[in-house]
């Protein structure tokens, strides 16, 4: 099950939408966090669709699965950092409900794609 272009993958498209929303959200962080925590959040959020794209462009399902696994790790990293933002009271958890739900759906899509690729 290989598409000819990573941009055709719904999981990549939804991951890109998530990154866009994360970037907008980070505009609300305090200035002292703009280069520390915000930078780390940006990097791991960008890593999600980037690794999906890189994995899809590889020549084997095994490599694709490896890069999808890295994307899942970046999702977990992003979730951890957003939870930290809540604990530090930078964001109210109600603001992040939709983002956390979308992250859960992206994770399910990645796991499903991994299952298809393993067959």
């Amino acid at each position: 099950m290989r598409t000819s272009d990573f941009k055709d993958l719904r999981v990549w498209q939804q991951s890109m939408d998530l990154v866009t929303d994360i970037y907008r959200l980070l505009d609300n962080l305090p200035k002292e966090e703009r280069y520390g925590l915000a930078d780390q959040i940006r990097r791991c959020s960008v890593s999600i669709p980037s690794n999906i794209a890189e994995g899809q462009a590889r020549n084997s399902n095994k490599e694709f699965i490896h890069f999808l696994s890295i994307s899942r790790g970046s999702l977990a990293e992003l979730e951890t950092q957003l939870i930290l933002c809540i604990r530090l009271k930078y964001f109210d958890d109600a603001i992040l409900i939709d983002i956390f739900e979308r992250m859960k759906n992206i994770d399910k899509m990645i796991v499903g794609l991994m299952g298809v690729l393993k067959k």
Side-chain angles (χ1 to χ4, degrees):
M1 189 252 140
R2 304 285 281 179
T3 65
S4 60
D5 192 333
F6 63 86
K7 294 183 289 291
D8 294 333
L9 296 169
R10 275 190 56 228
V11 67
W12 179 86
Q13 295 165 1
Q14 290 189 18
S15 297
M16 290 293 287
D17 291 342
L18 176 67
V19 173
T20 303
D21 291 342
I22 292 293
Y23 267 68
R24 289 185 185 124
L25 178 72
L26 294 176
D27 288 340
N28 299 315
L29 276 178
K31 288 185 183 201
E32 65 268 14
E33 288 296 351
R34 295 272 165 95
Y35 299 104
L37 186 57
D39 189 48
Q40 186 65 26
I41 291 171
R42 280 186 200 96
R43 279 197 307 272
C44 70
S45 68
V46 169
S47 176
I48 299 162
S50 297
N51 278 292
I52 293 168
E54 184 172 355
Q56 193 280 334
R58 298 291 176 134
N59 291 327
S60 74
N61 286 354
K62 183 178 179 182
E63 286 184 286
F64 194 2
I65 290 167
H66 171 74
F67 281 92
L68 289 171
S69 178
I70 293 170
S71 289
R72 289 192 75 212
S74 295
L75 268 170
E77 182 181 357
L78 176 60
E79 182 177 11
T80 298
Q81 292 163 4
L82 293 176
I83 290 169
L84 178 60
C85 287
I86 292 168
R87 288 183 173 201
L88 293 171
K89 301 198 185 317
Y90 293 152
F91 301 126
D92 185 274
D93 58 344
I95 293 171
L96 297 176
I97 289 173
D98 178 59
I99 287 178
F100 285 138
E101 187 63 32
R102 288 168 52 208
M103 290 169 61
K104 188 186 325 181
N105 288 335
I106 290 168
D107 187 56
K108 287 179 184 177
M109 292 172 72
I110 292 172
V111 169
L113 182 54
M114 292 170 78
V116 169
L117 292 169
K118 287 178 182 178
K119 292 182 180 180

PDB file of all heavy atoms in Angstrom, residues 20-45:
ATOM      1  N   THR A  20       0.397  23.890  11.770  1.00  0.00           N
ATOM      2  CA  THR A  20      -0.046  25.268  11.545  1.00  0.00           C
ATOM      3  C   THR A  20      -0.744  25.817  12.788  1.00  0.00           C
ATOM      4  O   THR A  20      -0.464  26.940  13.224  1.00  0.00           O
ATOM      5  CB  THR A  20      -0.996  25.324  10.331  1.00  0.00           C
ATOM      6  OG1 THR A  20      -0.325  24.794   9.194  1.00  0.00           O
ATOM      7  CG2 THR A  20      -1.435  26.745  10.039  1.00  0.00           C
ATOM      8  N   ASP A  21      -1.619  25.022  13.377  1.00  0.00           N
ATOM      9  CA  ASP A  21      -2.327  25.463  14.581  1.00  0.00           C
ATOM     10  C   ASP A  21      -1.395  25.613  15.782  1.00  0.00           C
ATOM     11  O   ASP A  21      -1.558  26.516  16.598  1.00  0.00           O
ATOM     12  CB  ASP A  21      -3.470  24.510  14.901  1.00  0.00           C
ATOM     13  CG  ASP A  21      -4.595  24.601  13.878  1.00  0.00           C
ATOM     14  OD1 ASP A  21      -4.654  25.612  13.135  1.00  0.00           O
ATOM     15  OD2 ASP A  21      -5.405  23.669  13.808  1.00  0.00           O
ATOM     16  N   ILE A  22      -0.408  24.740  15.879  1.00  0.00           N
ATOM     17  CA  ILE A  22       0.573  24.835  16.964  1.00  0.00           C
ATOM     18  C   ILE A  22       1.353  26.141  16.840  1.00  0.00           C
ATOM     19  O   ILE A  22       1.545  26.860  17.825  1.00  0.00           O
ATOM     20  CB  ILE A  22       1.524  23.617  16.964  1.00  0.00           C
ATOM     21  CG1 ILE A  22       0.781  22.341  17.357  1.00  0.00           C
ATOM     22  CG2 ILE A  22       2.736  23.864  17.860  1.00  0.00           C
ATOM     23  CD1 ILE A  22       0.295  22.292  18.793  1.00  0.00           C
ATOM     24  N   TYR A  23       1.781  26.469  15.643  1.00  0.00           N
ATOM     25  CA  TYR A  23       2.514  27.727  15.445  1.00  0.00           C
ATOM     26  C   TYR A  23       1.673  28.925  15.884  1.00  0.00           C
ATOM     27  O   TYR A  23       2.176  29.841  16.542  1.00  0.00           O
ATOM     28  CB  TYR A  23       2.942  27.883  13.978  1.00  0.00           C
ATOM     29  CG  TYR A  23       4.326  27.363  13.697  1.00  0.00           C
ATOM     30  CD1 TYR A  23       4.614  26.005  13.751  1.00  0.00           C
ATOM     31  CD2 TYR A  23       5.357  28.235  13.381  1.00  0.00           C
ATOM     32  CE1 TYR A  23       5.888  25.533  13.492  1.00  0.00           C
ATOM     33  CE2 TYR A  23       6.635  27.769  13.109  1.00  0.00           C
ATOM     34  CZ  TYR A  23       6.900  26.421  13.167  1.00  0.00           C
ATOM     35  OH  TYR A  23       8.171  25.947  12.915  1.00  0.00           O
ATOM     36  N   ARG A  24       0.395  28.923  15.531  1.00  0.00           N
ATOM     37  CA  ARG A  24      -0.493  30.020  15.939  1.00  0.00           C
ATOM     38  C   ARG A  24      -0.665  30.062  17.450  1.00  0.00           C
ATOM     39  O   ARG A  24      -0.674  31.133  18.057  1.00  0.00           O
ATOM     40  CB  ARG A  24      -1.846  29.876  15.257  1.00  0.00           C
ATOM     41  CG  ARG A  24      -1.782  30.179  13.774  1.00  0.00           C
ATOM     42  CD  ARG A  24      -3.169  30.158  13.140  1.00  0.00           C
ATOM     43  NE  ARG A  24      -3.034  30.343  11.710  1.00  0.00           N
ATOM     44  CZ  ARG A  24      -3.498  29.506  10.800  1.00  0.00           C
ATOM     45  NH1 ARG A  24      -4.151  28.415  11.149  1.00  0.00           N
ATOM     46  NH2 ARG A  24      -3.323  29.759   9.515  1.00  0.00           N
ATOM     47  N   LEU A  25      -0.810  28.897  18.063  1.00  0.00           N
ATOM     48  CA  LEU A  25      -0.976  28.802  19.508  1.00  0.00           C
ATOM     49  C   LEU A  25       0.225  29.388  20.246  1.00  0.00           C
ATOM     50  O   LEU A  25       0.083  30.068  21.262  1.00  0.00           O
ATOM     51  CB  LEU A  25      -1.178  27.335  19.907  1.00  0.00           C
ATOM     52  CG  LEU A  25      -1.328  27.031  21.382  1.00  0.00           C
ATOM     53  CD1 LEU A  25      -2.678  27.524  21.888  1.00  0.00           C
ATOM     54  CD2 LEU A  25      -1.183  25.537  21.622  1.00  0.00           C
ATOM     55  N   LEU A  26       1.404  29.138  19.713  1.00  0.00           N
ATOM     56  CA  LEU A  26       2.631  29.569  20.388  1.00  0.00           C
ATOM     57  C   LEU A  26       2.785  31.089  20.431  1.00  0.00           C
ATOM     58  O   LEU A  26       3.561  31.602  21.242  1.00  0.00           O
ATOM     59  CB  LEU A  26       3.849  28.913  19.745  1.00  0.00           C
ATOM     60  CG  LEU A  26       3.917  27.395  19.929  1.00  0.00           C
ATOM     61  CD1 LEU A  26       5.106  26.824  19.181  1.00  0.00           C
ATOM     62  CD2 LEU A  26       3.963  27.019  21.401  1.00  0.00           C
ATOM     63  N   ASP A  27       2.045  31.796  19.611  1.00  0.00           N
ATOM     64  CA  ASP A  27       2.072  33.258  19.673  1.00  0.00           C
ATOM     65  C   ASP A  27       1.585  33.761  21.023  1.00  0.00           C
ATOM     66  O   ASP A  27       1.869  34.897  21.402  1.00  0.00           O
ATOM     67  CB  ASP A  27       1.200  33.864  18.570  1.00  0.00           C
ATOM     68  CG  ASP A  27       1.819  33.720  17.194  1.00  0.00           C
ATOM     69  OD1 ASP A  27       3.056  33.501  17.108  1.00  0.00           O
ATOM     70  OD2 ASP A  27       1.075  33.818  16.200  1.00  0.00           O
ATOM     71  N   ASN A  28       0.868  32.905  21.774  1.00  0.00           N
ATOM     72  CA  ASN A  28       0.315  33.293  23.072  1.00  0.00           C
ATOM     73  C   ASN A  28       1.234  32.970  24.247  1.00  0.00           C
ATOM     74  O   ASN A  28       0.882  33.271  25.387  1.00  0.00           O
ATOM     75  CB  ASN A  28      -1.039  32.609  23.285  1.00  0.00           C
ATOM     76  CG  ASN A  28      -2.041  33.013  22.230  1.00  0.00           C
ATOM     77  OD1 ASN A  28      -2.165  34.185  21.904  1.00  0.00           O
ATOM     78  ND2 ASN A  28      -2.746  32.049  21.677  1.00  0.00           N
ATOM     79  N   LEU A  29       2.369  32.355  23.974  1.00  0.00           N
ATOM     80  CA  LEU A  29       3.307  32.065  25.063  1.00  0.00           C
ATOM     81  C   LEU A  29       3.967  33.349  25.545  1.00  0.00           C
ATOM     82  O   LEU A  29       4.153  34.299  24.778  1.00  0.00           O
ATOM     83  CB  LEU A  29       4.399  31.100  24.592  1.00  0.00           C
ATOM     84  CG  LEU A  29       4.079  29.617  24.615  1.00  0.00           C
ATOM     85  CD1 LEU A  29       5.264  28.829  24.080  1.00  0.00           C
ATOM     86  CD2 LEU A  29       3.698  29.126  25.988  1.00  0.00           C
ATOM     87  N   PRO A  30       4.366  33.368  26.817  1.00  0.00           N
ATOM     88  CA  PRO A  30       5.113  34.535  27.309  1.00  0.00           C
ATOM     89  C   PRO A  30       6.423  34.704  26.530  1.00  0.00           C
ATOM     90  O   PRO A  30       6.995  33.725  26.037  1.00  0.00           O
ATOM     91  CB  PRO A  30       5.416  34.182  28.763  1.00  0.00           C
ATOM     92  CG  PRO A  30       4.536  33.036  29.109  1.00  0.00           C
ATOM     93  CD  PRO A  30       4.165  32.361  27.837  1.00  0.00           C
ATOM     94  N   LYS A  31       6.879  35.942  26.431  1.00  0.00           N
ATOM     95  CA  LYS A  31       8.089  36.231  25.654  1.00  0.00           C
ATOM     96  C   LYS A  31       9.293  35.425  26.123  1.00  0.00           C
ATOM     97  O   LYS A  31      10.113  35.018  25.306  1.00  0.00           O
ATOM     98  CB  LYS A  31       8.404  37.726  25.699  1.00  0.00           C
ATOM     99  CG  LYS A  31       7.440  38.534  24.897  1.00  0.00           C
ATOM    100  CD  LYS A  31       7.818  39.978  24.843  1.00  0.00           C
ATOM    101  CE  LYS A  31       6.716  40.693  24.068  1.00  0.00           C
ATOM    102  NZ  LYS A  31       7.092  41.925  23.523  1.00  0.00           N
ATOM    103  N   GLU A  32       9.390  35.170  27.414  1.00  0.00           N
ATOM    104  CA  GLU A  32      10.561  34.438  27.916  1.00  0.00           C
ATOM    105  C   GLU A  32      10.590  32.983  27.445  1.00  0.00           C
ATOM    106  O   GLU A  32      11.627  32.329  27.530  1.00  0.00           O
ATOM    107  CB  GLU A  32      10.657  34.506  29.446  1.00  0.00           C
ATOM    108  CG  GLU A  32       9.532  33.826  30.192  1.00  0.00           C
ATOM    109  CD  GLU A  32       8.366  34.755  30.538  1.00  0.00           C
ATOM    110  OE1 GLU A  32       8.286  35.869  29.986  1.00  0.00           O
ATOM    111  OE2 GLU A  32       7.546  34.336  31.360  1.00  0.00           O
ATOM    112  N   GLU A  33       9.476  32.485  26.943  1.00  0.00           N
ATOM    113  CA  GLU A  33       9.429  31.103  26.446  1.00  0.00           C
ATOM    114  C   GLU A  33       9.496  31.018  24.924  1.00  0.00           C
ATOM    115  O   GLU A  33       9.484  29.939  24.371  1.00  0.00           O
ATOM    116  CB  GLU A  33       8.154  30.408  26.932  1.00  0.00           C
ATOM    117  CG  GLU A  33       8.160  30.087  28.397  1.00  0.00           C
ATOM    118  CD  GLU A  33       9.238  29.086  28.804  1.00  0.00           C
ATOM    119  OE1 GLU A  33       9.894  28.489  27.938  1.00  0.00           O
ATOM    120  OE2 GLU A  33       9.414  28.916  30.016  1.00  0.00           O
ATOM    121  N   ARG A  34       9.570  32.135  24.252  1.00  0.00           N
ATOM    122  CA  ARG A  34       9.541  32.127  22.785  1.00  0.00           C
ATOM    123  C   ARG A  34      10.731  31.389  22.171  1.00  0.00           C
ATOM    124  O   ARG A  34      10.636  30.888  21.073  1.00  0.00           O
ATOM    125  CB  ARG A  34       9.497  33.558  22.239  1.00  0.00           C
ATOM    126  CG  ARG A  34       8.231  34.292  22.601  1.00  0.00           C
ATOM    127  CD  ARG A  34       7.141  34.045  21.560  1.00  0.00           C
ATOM    128  NE  ARG A  34       5.834  34.443  22.042  1.00  0.00           N
ATOM    129  CZ  ARG A  34       5.278  35.602  21.822  1.00  0.00           C
ATOM    130  NH1 ARG A  34       5.922  36.510  21.128  1.00  0.00           N
ATOM    131  NH2 ARG A  34       4.074  35.869  22.287  1.00  0.00           N
ATOM    132  N   TYR A  35      11.843  31.321  22.869  1.00  0.00           N
ATOM    133  CA  TYR A  35      13.031  30.677  22.302  1.00  0.00           C
ATOM    134  C   TYR A  35      13.368  29.359  22.969  1.00  0.00           C
ATOM    135  O   TYR A  35      14.158  28.603  22.438  1.00  0.00           O
ATOM    136  CB  TYR A  35      14.233  31.635  22.363  1.00  0.00           C
ATOM    137  CG  TYR A  35      13.970  32.884  21.576  1.00  0.00           C
ATOM    138  CD1 TYR A  35      13.653  34.070  22.215  1.00  0.00           C
ATOM    139  CD2 TYR A  35      13.981  32.868  20.185  1.00  0.00           C
ATOM    140  CE1 TYR A  35      13.375  35.223  21.494  1.00  0.00           C
ATOM    141  CE2 TYR A  35      13.705  34.006  19.452  1.00  0.00           C
ATOM    142  CZ  TYR A  35      13.406  35.180  20.117  1.00  0.00           C
ATOM    143  OH  TYR A  35      13.115  36.303  19.396  1.00  0.00           O
ATOM    144  N   GLY A  36      12.781  29.087  24.107  1.00  0.00           N
ATOM    145  CA  GLY A  36      13.053  27.836  24.799  1.00  0.00           C
ATOM    146  C   GLY A  36      12.003  26.796  24.480  1.00  0.00           C
ATOM    147  O   GLY A  36      12.117  26.018  23.530  1.00  0.00           O
ATOM    148  N   LEU A  37      10.968  26.802  25.276  1.00  0.00           N
ATOM    149  CA  LEU A  37       9.906  25.820  25.134  1.00  0.00           C
ATOM    150  C   LEU A  37       9.213  25.929  23.774  1.00  0.00           C
ATOM    151  O   LEU A  37       8.949  24.913  23.124  1.00  0.00           O
ATOM    152  CB  LEU A  37       8.892  26.000  26.272  1.00  0.00           C
ATOM    153  CG  LEU A  37       7.781  24.980  26.392  1.00  0.00           C
ATOM    154  CD1 LEU A  37       8.340  23.561  26.531  1.00  0.00           C
ATOM    155  CD2 LEU A  37       6.895  25.318  27.585  1.00  0.00           C
ATOM    156  N   ALA A  38       8.959  27.142  23.322  1.00  0.00           N
ATOM    157  CA  ALA A  38       8.278  27.317  22.026  1.00  0.00           C
ATOM    158  C   ALA A  38       9.093  26.714  20.886  1.00  0.00           C
ATOM    159  O   ALA A  38       8.540  26.054  20.004  1.00  0.00           O
ATOM    160  CB  ALA A  38       8.007  28.800  21.763  1.00  0.00           C
ATOM    161  N   ASP A  39      10.390  26.922  20.933  1.00  0.00           N
ATOM    162  CA  ASP A  39      11.242  26.376  19.882  1.00  0.00           C
ATOM    163  C   ASP A  39      11.201  24.849  19.884  1.00  0.00           C
ATOM    164  O   ASP A  39      11.117  24.213  18.826  1.00  0.00           O
ATOM    165  CB  ASP A  39      12.673  26.888  20.053  1.00  0.00           C
ATOM    166  CG  ASP A  39      13.555  26.532  18.874  1.00  0.00           C
ATOM    167  OD1 ASP A  39      13.129  26.762  17.724  1.00  0.00           O
ATOM    168  OD2 ASP A  39      14.668  26.024  19.106  1.00  0.00           O
ATOM    169  N   GLN A  40      11.231  24.256  21.063  1.00  0.00           N
ATOM    170  CA  GLN A  40      11.172  22.800  21.174  1.00  0.00           C
ATOM    171  C   GLN A  40       9.826  22.276  20.675  1.00  0.00           C
ATOM    172  O   GLN A  40       9.768  21.258  19.977  1.00  0.00           O
ATOM    173  CB  GLN A  40      11.407  22.380  22.628  1.00  0.00           C
ATOM    174  CG  GLN A  40      11.518  20.893  22.828  1.00  0.00           C
ATOM    175  CD  GLN A  40      12.722  20.283  22.143  1.00  0.00           C
ATOM    176  OE1 GLN A  40      13.727  20.942  21.916  1.00  0.00           O
ATOM    177  NE2 GLN A  40      12.614  19.017  21.805  1.00  0.00           N
ATOM    178  N   ILE A  41       8.756  22.970  21.009  1.00  0.00           N
ATOM    179  CA  ILE A  41       7.422  22.559  20.556  1.00  0.00           C
ATOM    180  C   ILE A  41       7.338  22.646  19.032  1.00  0.00           C
ATOM    181  O   ILE A  41       6.794  21.751  18.379  1.00  0.00           O
ATOM    182  CB  ILE A  41       6.329  23.410  21.234  1.00  0.00           C
ATOM    183  CG1 ILE A  41       6.261  23.074  22.724  1.00  0.00           C
ATOM    184  CG2 ILE A  41       4.973  23.195  20.565  1.00  0.00           C
ATOM    185  CD1 ILE A  41       5.373  24.004  23.531  1.00  0.00           C
ATOM    186  N   ARG A  42       7.870  23.718  18.476  1.00  0.00           N
ATOM    187  CA  ARG A  42       7.870  23.849  17.009  1.00  0.00           C
ATOM    188  C   ARG A  42       8.620  22.690  16.363  1.00  0.00           C
ATOM    189  O   ARG A  42       8.152  22.087  15.397  1.00  0.00           O
ATOM    190  CB  ARG A  42       8.505  25.169  16.580  1.00  0.00           C
ATOM    191  CG  ARG A  42       7.606  26.341  16.675  1.00  0.00           C
ATOM    192  CD  ARG A  42       8.278  27.588  16.081  1.00  0.00           C
ATOM    193  NE  ARG A  42       7.634  28.761  16.590  1.00  0.00           N
ATOM    194  CZ  ARG A  42       8.054  29.477  17.632  1.00  0.00           C
ATOM    195  NH1 ARG A  42       9.159  29.159  18.269  1.00  0.00           N
ATOM    196  NH2 ARG A  42       7.382  30.527  18.043  1.00  0.00           N
ATOM    197  N   ARG A  43       9.800  22.385  16.882  1.00  0.00           N
ATOM    198  CA  ARG A  43      10.626  21.324  16.277  1.00  0.00           C
ATOM    199  C   ARG A  43       9.919  19.971  16.304  1.00  0.00           C
ATOM    200  O   ARG A  43       9.909  19.252  15.306  1.00  0.00           O
ATOM    201  CB  ARG A  43      11.980  21.232  16.975  1.00  0.00           C
ATOM    202  CG  ARG A  43      12.973  22.263  16.514  1.00  0.00           C
ATOM    203  CD  ARG A  43      14.403  21.917  16.898  1.00  0.00           C
ATOM    204  NE  ARG A  43      14.585  21.648  18.309  1.00  0.00           N
ATOM    205  CZ  ARG A  43      14.855  22.571  19.240  1.00  0.00           C
ATOM    206  NH1 ARG A  43      14.969  23.824  18.897  1.00  0.00           N
ATOM    207  NH2 ARG A  43      15.003  22.232  20.493  1.00  0.00           N
ATOM    208  N   CYS A  44       9.349  19.614  17.450  1.00  0.00           N
ATOM    209  CA  CYS A  44       8.730  18.282  17.501  1.00  0.00           C
ATOM    210  C   CYS A  44       7.437  18.248  16.698  1.00  0.00           C
ATOM    211  O   CYS A  44       7.111  17.216  16.109  1.00  0.00           O
ATOM    212  CB  CYS A  44       8.540  17.798  18.930  1.00  0.00           C
ATOM    213  SG  CYS A  44       7.308  18.631  19.898  1.00  0.00           S
ATOM    214  N   SER A  45       6.704  19.365  16.629  1.00  0.00           N
ATOM    215  CA  SER A  45       5.477  19.343  15.820  1.00  0.00           C
ATOM    216  C   SER A  45       5.806  19.224  14.332  1.00  0.00           C
ATOM    217  O   SER A  45       5.159  18.467  13.608  1.00  0.00           O
ATOM    218  CB  SER A  45       4.599  20.568  16.099  1.00  0.00           C
ATOM    219  OG  SER A  45       5.185  21.761  15.655  1.00  0.00           O
TER     220      SER A  45
END
